[in-house]
Amino acid sequence: MASYEHPYSPRDLQLPGYVPLSLSQIDIVLPYLGSSVVVVAAIWFLSGRFPKLSKTDRLLMCWWAFSGLTHIILEGYFAFVPDFFKKKTPFYLDELWKEYGKGDSRYVSRDSAIVALEGFTAAIEGPACLLVVYAIASRKSYSYILQFAICLGQLYGCMVYFVTSYLDGDNFATSPFYYWAYYVGANGFWVVIATLIAIRSWKKIISVFESGNKKKTK
Amino acid sequence: MASYEHPYSPRDLQLPGYVPLSLSQIDIVLPYLGSSVVVVAAIWFLSGRFPKLSKTDRLLMCWWAFSGLTHIILEGYFAFVPDFFKKKTPFYLDELWKEYGKGDSRYVSRDSAIVALEGFTAAIEGPACLLVVYAIASRKSYSYILQFAICLGQLYGCMVYFVTSYLDGDNFATSPFYYWAYYVGANGFWVVIATLIAIRSWKKIISVFESGNKKKTK
């Protein structure tokens, strides 16, 4: 099998059959950002037709739709298409993951912890995120506990992701730029937002229990 | 460094400095079971002095005390004592983990996903389990959401544990006996109980939200 030189770290990583990236960084990042903006704008617009929803609820619906589609489409493709970096006529998502690999080469070397996390995120958390969009819009009683559960899953996933990299030498980025932009930046975004939503959901659940207790003791 | 032949799978696993087990299986398992029975009996007895606690609450307190101490003492020792299998004068917990390694050799080879999971379980989930014992006894409003959170962490940990083993070839047990008794049996226990408690907590939280909604619409 013909093999090209790859851009990943560590340099001695063996990737038989690797086909080099043909798209530029901007050709990969812009369509993702652009389609994310379209999704967020559509959910913001549609959710405005529900008069009872607060702005926070509508923002949360945008986040969950964006997060769910990222989990299902992007991470699902990675998890269930193991030979993405060998495709002779690569598709956009193959190129996206080859690009992301510059921030963390464990994606191209298919580290088993990464595949386990991404498979679970795509198959379970992704659909659950979309269910949250519906649950917020229709004011379901499971809305907060479901958001809390998904946030914990995202945070646990990030914990395993960062700790395994640290334990294995933290040498999987092509350069400091990719380390900070892709490995820390893209994932840090989920850590921060999942933490905020988890705290908000926890507080809401506690407050409902407390108001229930107060009613009982009256 | 003198190295002895090890009992683990795969047979070509390199373990420089490995010191053979000196305790028998029964010498390892009995003290763990015995001290667990003591903990469970003590919590059952003490919780009986709280007149408002149901039998289910008391059983849950026993489980969380047992689970928390297992996480902190056993799993904490594994996570933070990397050279346990090389100790020339091994202590009980060194022997326990060398024995468990027969069910999953990734514990002696210190697979990074296992160390990440166990470190998190010991440092975060273990103390949280003990907090649940207190929360149930003092009927705190965060009792259910905390139990739900820990159960999800335990289940996510088990998911990563089993899926990474499967992806890496599922060839880490010395024999089918150790595979089923240690790898599947001991962990399956946590999967089943965490699932049951997670479902119970979810239902309880939903029911509190629903009774709140009914009051509002009255």
Side-chain angles (χ1 to χ4, degrees), chain B residues 92-159:
Chain B
Y92 171 73
L93 290 174
D94 301 310
E95 297 288 278
L96 181 140
W97 285 112
K98 287 194 280 186
E99 177 67 21
Y100 182 80
K102 294 178 188 169
D104 186 350
S105 69
R106 298 178 300 168
Y107 275 76
V108 282
S109 63
R110 291 197 85 68
D111 177 278
S112 61
I114 303 280
V115 176
L117 294 179
E118 290 291 13
F120 181 83
T121 303
I124 308 294
E125 290 175 16
C129 291
L130 301 186
L131 181 58
V132 168
V133 178
Y134 164 77
I136 294 176
S138 49
R139 309 177 75 78
K140 294 287 181 197
S141 50
Y142 61 77
S143 168
Y144 288 99
I145 181 78
L146 183 59
Q147 291 182 69
F148 183 70
I150 303 170
C151 290
L152 290 194
Q154 291 172 329
L155 290 171
Y156 201 110
C158 289
M159 181 281 293

Side-chain angles (χ1 to χ4, degrees), chain A residues 82-101:
Chain A
D83 60 346
F84 69 88
F85 63 91
K86 297 177 190 171
K87 293 259 186 85
K88 295 231 163 65
T89 47
F91 163 58
Y92 171 74
L93 290 173
D94 301 309
E95 297 288 277
L96 181 140
W97 285 112
K98 287 194 280 186
E99 177 67 20
Y100 182 81

Side-chain angles (χ1 to χ4, degrees), chain B residues 40-86:
Chain B
V40 165
I43 298 286
W44 180 258
F45 173 77
L46 289 170
S47 63
R49 302 185 157 212
F50 292 72
K52 282 192 171 176
L53 293 176
S54 68
K55 278 196 178 158
T56 309
D57 283 334
R58 292 171 64 201
L59 275 176
L60 285 169
M61 287 170 70
C62 294
W63 164 253
W64 288 116
F66 159 74
S67 189
L69 292 173
T70 298
H71 291 338
I72 294 170
I73 301 173
L74 271 66
E75 296 173 74
Y77 189 82
F78 164 76
F80 301 107
V81 181
D83 60 346
F84 70 88
F85 63 92
K86 297 177 190 172

